Amino acid sequence: MQTASRPRRKPRRSYEHGSLRVQGWLYSALWPLREEMVGAITHLERGDATWRHGSAHLEWLRDPRHHLGAAGRVNLDDLITVHGGQLGNLLEHYAASLAALVTAATDAQVVFERVVRQISRERRIRDAGDDVVGAVAADLVNDNLDGNQGGEGALIMALRDELPRLRAARPPRLDDAYREAAAAASALLAEIDDVRRELCDACDLPPAPITVNVHGFRSGH
């Protein structure tokens, strides 16, 4: 079924053709932000928070500003100030959703570790030390329990018959946090694309950075 397209909005202000300032917004801020958000949505929609129990943080999913260079952050702030719109609010909303996901993953890690230890004792599974139990619990948080993860693989195989019990222990708040973060990421990506189209149309600029290869041909980055 064909989905309705987002309405095109009128430019809020006029910009000079080929404006260097707009190019800074597009290529040092919006383009890397877009690349980051496409990857983030892929992780979130498949239930992989890139959660790491050892460091208690999300390895790849972070406040998208952190993925920008110094110039990109300055240009992003300038864009938000000059252009207005919802970009700044949506960036903050997405960052808050990731913070909520960290909290939910931390709580779920504790729940899963408790259940895995209980099953290990019931089945008298050897080599179920804290590191292995923690790694298995993190796989459950990331919904990535495939039985092929290094040292914890033996425990995972021993727990194969217990997967329904393990998944039943999954805290509902964790899945809620995934959905909220995915929705926030999708809204942010849509706004990034809207702003990019508006600026490119207003200034007759390409949507992606232009690079020159060794043969002298210009191509999109």
Side-chain angles (χ1 to χ4, degrees):
M1 181 178 68
Q2 186 176 7
T3 58
S5 59
R6 290 170 59 87
R8 296 294 297 275
R9 55 188 175 187
K10 296 179 180 179
R12 295 184 179 84
R13 60 179 67 223
S14 61
Y15 303 103
E16 294 181 2
H17 262 35
S19 167
L20 288 176
R21 189 177 195 180
V22 172
Q23 289 182 56
W25 295 343
L26 285 168
Y27 307 138
S28 72
L30 291 177
W31 180 254
L33 278 180
R34 187 183 195 283
E35 290 188 308
E36 171 60 25
M37 297 317 301
V38 169
I41 290 170
T42 298
H43 281 294
L44 289 166
E45 288 184 343
R46 70 185 183 206
D48 178 12
T50 71
W51 169 253
R52 298 296 178 264
H53 72 288
S55 56
H57 78 287
L58 313 181
E59 186 172 359
W60 297 110
L61 299 178
R62 295 186 295 167
D63 183 333
R65 292 174 185 266
H66 294 166
H67 294 275
L68 298 179
R73 290 192 292 272
V74 171
N75 285 332
L76 177 61
D77 289 339
D78 184 51
L79 168 61
I80 292 170
T81 299
V82 173
H83 187 271
Q86 291 299 309
L87 184 59
N89 291 335
L90 291 172
L91 279 164
E92 295 302 324
H93 180 59
Y94 175 62
S97 76
L98 290 184
L101 183 54
V102 169
T103 299
T106 301
D107 294 342
Q109 178 77 25
V110 174
V111 171
F112 283 134
E113 286 185 5
R114 183 171 62 247
V115 175
V116 169
R117 286 195 179 93
Q118 181 179 350
I119 294 172
S120 299
R121 287 194 298 269
E122 292 171 357
R123 294 202 166 202
R124 299 180 181 179
I125 298 172
R126 296 181 178 180
D127 303 323
D130 288 345
D131 289 344
V132 173
V133 169
V136 171
D139 289 333
L140 288 163
V141 171
N142 291 322
D143 198 18
N144 188 33
L145 202 66
D146 61 19
N148 297 315
Q149 293 94 337
E152 68 269 21
L155 175 58
I156 292 174
M157 295 303 295
L159 295 175
R160 184 65 62 188
D161 294 339
E162 297 287 353
L163 286 180
R165 180 178 171 186
L166 288 166
R167 291 190 170 118
R170 188 176 182 86
R173 180 67 190 107
L174 178 60
D175 289 327
D176 290 343
Y178 270 114
R179 284 191 292 270
E180 290 165 10
S186 295
L188 176 55
L189 177 60
E191 178 69 8
I192 289 170
D193 281 343
D194 277 356
V195 174
R196 285 170 66 242
R197 281 191 294 267
E198 177 185 322
L199 295 175
C200 289
D201 289 348
C203 295
D204 192 25
L205 289 167
I210 299 298
T211 58
V212 179
N213 64 25
V214 293
H215 301 293
F217 297 107
R218 304 176 78 182
S219 60
H221 176 67

